[in-house]
Amino acid sequence: MKWLGYGARALALILLLLLLDTELFTPVLAPLNDNGAPAVYRQGSLLFLALSHLGLVAVSTLIGGTLALVAGIFVTRPAGAEFLPLSRTIVNIGQTFPPIAVLAIAVPSLGFGAEPTLLALTLYGLLPIFENTMAGLKSVPTTALDAARGMGMTGWQRLTKVELPLALPVILTGIRLSFVVNLGTATIGSTVGAKSLGEVIMAGITTTNTAYILQGGVIVALLAVLIYDALGSLERSLAKRAGTASAR
C-alpha cells in the first residue's frame, strides 16, 4: 500500500510539472520531432485546458449520474419495475451510439462549444451508473430492510437511510468507471470547439507533431489513473463502513 501511495505521489508530481513547467521535458520530447517543430505545446495554457477538460467530465458525470441514479431507483421500486426494459434500452443506446455521431447531430441545434460535448458525454456515461445503482440497491440485505420496516420506517426513509447508504460503494464504482471513461472520451470535444486536452492532441495530429500528441495523451492518462485511484480509495472506505453498518 505504501508503494502505491508513493507511486501516486510520483505520478501527481509528473502531472504538475507537465501542466506548470512543460519546458522541463523538452529534452525528452524534442527527439520525437524530425521537422524542426516546437517540442512543447505553447498555443495555450495546459493547466487551463486540463481544468476545462475536467470540468466537462465533472458536469456531464453530475448530470448523467443524477439521471441514472433516479432511473435506477425508480425501476427497483414496485411501481417502476415494468419500465426496466425500456430504461435499460435507453442507457444502452447512450453507450453504444458513438459520441462523435452525437456531436455531429447536436451541433446544428446546440452550436459549437461545450454544449454538444456535454450531451455526448452525459449519454455515454449513463450505463455504468445505472447498472451499478440497480446492482447496489438489489444487494442490500433483506435483514436490513426487515429491521427498517420493524422500526416503522416509511419507504422514503428506508431508501435514504438504509438502501442508498449500503448501496453507495457499488454506485460509486459505476460513477468511477463513467468518470474515467469520459476523461478519455472528452478529447473529442475539441473537434467542435470545446476547450479540452483534445486540443493539444488535435494540434499534434494536424501538424504531425508527435510531441504534442504525447503531451496531451500523457496528461489525460495521468488524470485518469490518479482520479481512478482516489475514487477507488473512497469506494473502499465506504464499503468498509457499509459492511460495519450491515453487521450491526
Side-chain angles (χ1 to χ4, degrees), residues 124-226:
Y124 199 61
L126 288 174
L127 181 61
I129 303 175
F130 176 77
E131 291 291 346
N132 277 51
T133 297
M134 289 198 304
L137 291 173
K138 290 179 179 178
S139 68
V140 175
T142 55
T143 53
L145 294 175
D146 291 340
R149 291 190 186 94
M151 294 171 63
M153 287 187 179
T154 64
W156 176 252
Q157 289 174 325
R158 290 196 300 272
L159 173 65
T160 57
K161 295 183 178 181
V162 179
E163 294 182 74
L164 285 177
L166 292 177
L168 189 57
V170 180
I171 296 173
L172 186 59
T173 300
I175 294 174
R176 175 172 56 151
L177 178 60
S178 177
F179 195 100
V180 171
V181 168
N182 272 348
L183 264 174
T185 309
T187 56
I188 66 171
S190 62
T191 61
V192 293
K195 289 294 181 181
S196 75
L197 290 164
E199 190 172 305
V200 185
I201 297 173
M202 290 300 298
I205 293 173
T206 55
T207 61
T208 63
N209 190 327
T210 307
Y212 284 2
I213 298 172
L214 186 62
Q215 285 171 70
V218 168
I219 292 173
V220 172
L222 288 175
L223 286 171
V225 169
L226 290 170

Side-chain angles (χ1 to χ4, degrees), residues 7 9-10 12 15 18 29-30 46 62 85 87 117 123 137 156 158 160 178 181 217 238:
R9 291 174 190 174
L15 176 62
L18 279 169
L29 297 170
L46 289 175
L62 178 62
S87 300
T117 306
L123 293 175
L137 291 173
W156 176 252
R158 290 196 300 272
T160 57
S178 177
V181 168
L238 291 173

Side-chain angles (χ1 to χ4, degrees), residues 18-175:
L18 279 169
L19 294 176
L20 300 176
D21 195 4
T22 318
E23 298 288 345
L24 287 174
F25 297 89
T26 300
V28 178
L29 297 170
L32 297 175
N33 291 329
D34 56 5
N35 56 2
V40 175
Y41 184 81
R42 299 190 184 95
Q43 299 172 28
S45 168
L46 289 175
L47 178 60
F48 171 77
L49 291 176
L51 292 175
S52 179
H53 191 105
L54 285 173
L56 287 172
V57 178
V59 171
S60 63
T61 301
L62 178 62
I63 297 171
T66 301
L67 294 174
L69 182 65
V70 170
I73 292 172
F74 178 65
V75 298
T76 55
R77 307 300 100 180
E82 63 181 292
F83 294 96
L84 174 57
L86 175 61
S87 300
R88 185 164 273 159
T89 298
I90 292 173
V91 297
N92 274 316
I93 290 174
Q95 179 74 209
T96 56
F97 202 71
I100 193 68
V102 176
L103 292 179
I105 295 172
V107 163
S109 56
L110 297 178
F112 287 88
E115 289 79 6
T117 306
L118 287 173
L119 176 61
L121 295 178
T122 297
L123 293 175
Y124 199 61
L126 288 174
L127 181 61
I129 303 175
F130 176 77
E131 291 291 346
N132 277 51
T133 297
M134 289 198 304
L137 291 173
K138 290 179 179 178
S139 68
V140 175
T142 55
T143 53
L145 294 175
D146 291 340
R149 291 190 186 94
M151 294 171 63
M153 287 187 179
T154 64
W156 176 252
Q157 289 174 325
R158 290 196 300 272
L159 173 65
T160 57
K161 295 183 178 181
V162 179
E163 294 182 74
L164 285 177
L166 292 177
L168 189 57
V170 180
I171 296 173
L172 186 59
T173 300
I175 294 174

